[in-house]
Amino acid sequence: MTAINMVRDFESELTTSFTASTSTRSDDSEASGTQSRRSLHMVTLRDVLSIVAEIDDILAREFGGKGRGIHSKLDSVHPALPNQLDKRLRYFEAVRNKALMQPDWRIPDRTHYITECQAAARRLHLIAQQRERRRRMLAPLQRLRGMPGSFAIVMAAVGALLLLVSGAISFSA
């Protein structure tokens, strides 16, 4: 028997065993149905996991949240966020956890859920930008805190005058 014939025999055995295994799988519709539901669940869950992970990352990076998940990060930054947003973020995390742990459970109105998560992520970014702007504006005043009283007043007046001249503040009606 030549090497070519041996390869052909091996290929035909592989093809026969593959055909037999796929026909056995198709007969076992319950197992294949479960497998297809799980793979479909993971495909639909990908968007949910990515947007909730983005929210988790924003809380950690821009707000200094500590902990493993959104719940613990929200606990660590609690006064920084409005209560309504805090509740929505906790709901998003709870839905994500339930969808991840229970493969047969479907997220009710998944597109609306993802849209709401994206809106919450945008709101978090906006709040973080406002906090940063406020921090930058207050930084010169924070430096004045440690100075003696009269010198601090003079420096504050000079700073206000500079802001007036630069056009950052206007008193015109």
Side-chain angles (χ1 to χ4, degrees):
M1 183 178 262
T2 65
I4 295 173
N5 288 338
M6 288 174 51
V7 170
R8 285 184 186 151
D9 288 343
F10 182 68
E11 286 176 349
S12 67
E13 285 176 355
L14 280 177
T15 308
T16 306
S17 66
F18 177 74
T19 308
S21 68
T22 55
S23 66
T24 307
R25 284 188 205 143
S26 64
D27 291 341
D28 191 10
S29 62
E30 184 177 322
S32 67
T34 303
Q35 183 66 24
S36 66
R37 274 196 310 266
R38 283 187 183 149
S39 63
L40 178 64
H41 177 73
M42 290 309 291
V43 168
T44 58
L45 195 59
R46 186 179 324 133
D47 296 336
V48 173
L49 294 175
S50 66
I51 190 66
V52 173
E54 181 183 340
I55 291 171
D56 191 89
D57 184 52
I58 293 168
L59 285 171
R61 189 184 57 232
E62 297 183 17
F63 291 90
K66 306 276 188 242
R68 283 185 54 183
I70 288 179
H71 292 294
S72 57
K73 285 182 175 81
L74 285 172
D75 288 340
S76 68
V77 300
H78 177 65
L81 299 175
N83 282 339
Q84 192 65 25
L85 182 60
D86 185 274
K87 288 178 186 178
R88 292 300 293 166
L89 294 174
R90 289 179 190 277
Y91 170 75
F92 296 151
E93 177 73 358
V95 168
R96 174 219 168 259
N97 289 343
K98 187 167 185 174
L100 191 62
M101 296 302 166
Q102 298 176 5
D104 293 334
W105 187 76
R106 293 180 185 252
I107 298 172
D109 198 4
R110 189 177 77 74
T111 55
H112 179 69
Y113 173 81
I114 290 173
T115 306
E116 288 291 317
C117 285
Q118 290 169 340
R122 284 191 301 272
R123 178 98 190 269
L124 281 174
H125 275 299
L126 198 112
I127 291 171
Q129 288 172 351
Q130 290 171 347
R131 285 174 44 144
E132 180 62 24
R133 235 180 279 127
R134 190 177 314 122
R135 187 191 63 76
R136 280 191 203 139
M137 290 176 63
L138 293 177
L141 296 176
Q142 296 295 331
R143 285 183 289 222
L144 292 177
R145 271 191 180 168
M147 297 181 181
S150 61
F151 184 70
I153 292 171
V154 170
M155 291 303 292
V158 169
L161 185 62
L162 286 174
L163 286 174
L164 267 172
V165 171
S166 70
I169 301 175
S170 71
F171 290 105
S172 61

